[in-house]
Amino acid sequence: MLLITGVFISCSKSPRFQLLDSKHTGVDFTNTIVETDSFHVMSYEYIYNGAGVGIGDLNNDGLQDIIFAGNQVSPRIYLNLGDFRFRDITPMAQGLTNDQWYSSVTLVDINSDGWLDFYLTSTANEDPGKCKNRLWVNQGIGDNSSPVFFEMAEKYGIDLEPEVQLVGF
């Protein structure tokens, strides 16, 4: 009887999380995966593993911004405006397109300038040029009050996956 009472009391509390409509938040990212006759789970076993999400303060305003890595869609960057409202600032990342299959996102201040940068790892393409990892270095606030990013992975020497060598096997 005590257990049943506890269940009823716990169910009467308001939920901790609430689904907010994209019209309110401004976040409308969908990592859509389209299978074909030649590209499917049997030809690429990781097709439904998804991509990644990075959260960090990109413009140093104290609010956490969001970066979504995309597989068959372009990654997206959302600047937090407060009150669960975001603005899509993806065009501020020079060259960020959907021509690569990005598998993860990491935020780091790679050059210690006080501005968060972001690194996307890439995979799933027969063209080695489309498997390069990408690093967008934050240049600070631009003309439209948004951070501006330039792609610099090759300059930092982190555009390619390291070769794995098994020692002692």
Side-chain angles (χ1 to χ4, degrees), residues 36-135:
T36 66
D37 290 343
S38 59
F39 187 70
H40 47 76
V41 73
M42 298 304 285
S43 65
Y44 183 64
E45 64 184 307
Y46 304 113
I47 192 169
Y48 290 112
N49 280 12
V53 178
I55 298 177
D57 187 1
L58 299 172
N59 61 346
N60 294 336
D61 66 354
L63 299 173
Q64 300 301 302
D65 308 306
I66 306 171
I67 299 175
F68 291 100
N71 296 141
Q72 291 178 315
V73 298
S74 176
R76 303 278 287 277
I77 307 168
Y78 292 95
L79 200 64
N80 190 337
L81 305 174
D83 193 32
F84 294 102
R85 295 184 187 276
F86 295 81
R87 179 168 48 102
D88 187 344
I89 62 162
T90 305
M92 302 310 293
Q94 308 281 326
L96 185 59
T97 63
N98 68 340
D99 65 341
Q100 289 187 236
W101 186 284
Y102 293 109
S103 56
S104 70
V105 58
T106 302
L107 283 87
V108 63
D109 182 5
I110 198 155
N111 55 3
S112 300
D113 65 354
W115 297 97
L116 272 180
D117 314 302
F118 67 96
Y119 183 68
L120 298 176
T121 58
S122 187
T123 182
N125 202 302
E126 294 175 6
D127 178 357
K130 291 188 177 186
C131 287
K132 289 186 175 186
N133 298 324
R134 306 290 181 185
L135 169 70

Side-chain angles (χ1 to χ4, degrees), residues 133-147:
N133 298 324
R134 306 290 181 185
L135 169 70
W136 277 270
V137 177
N138 193 331
Q139 306 298 305
I141 302 300
D143 293 337
N144 66 353
S145 302
S146 300

Side-chain angles (χ1 to χ4, degrees), residues 147-163:
V148 175
F149 301 89
F150 292 137
E151 202 289 310
M152 299 180 154
E154 190 172 344
K155 177 181 177 186
Y156 281 84
I158 56 174
D159 57 327
L160 300 175
E161 292 290 329
E163 290 185 32

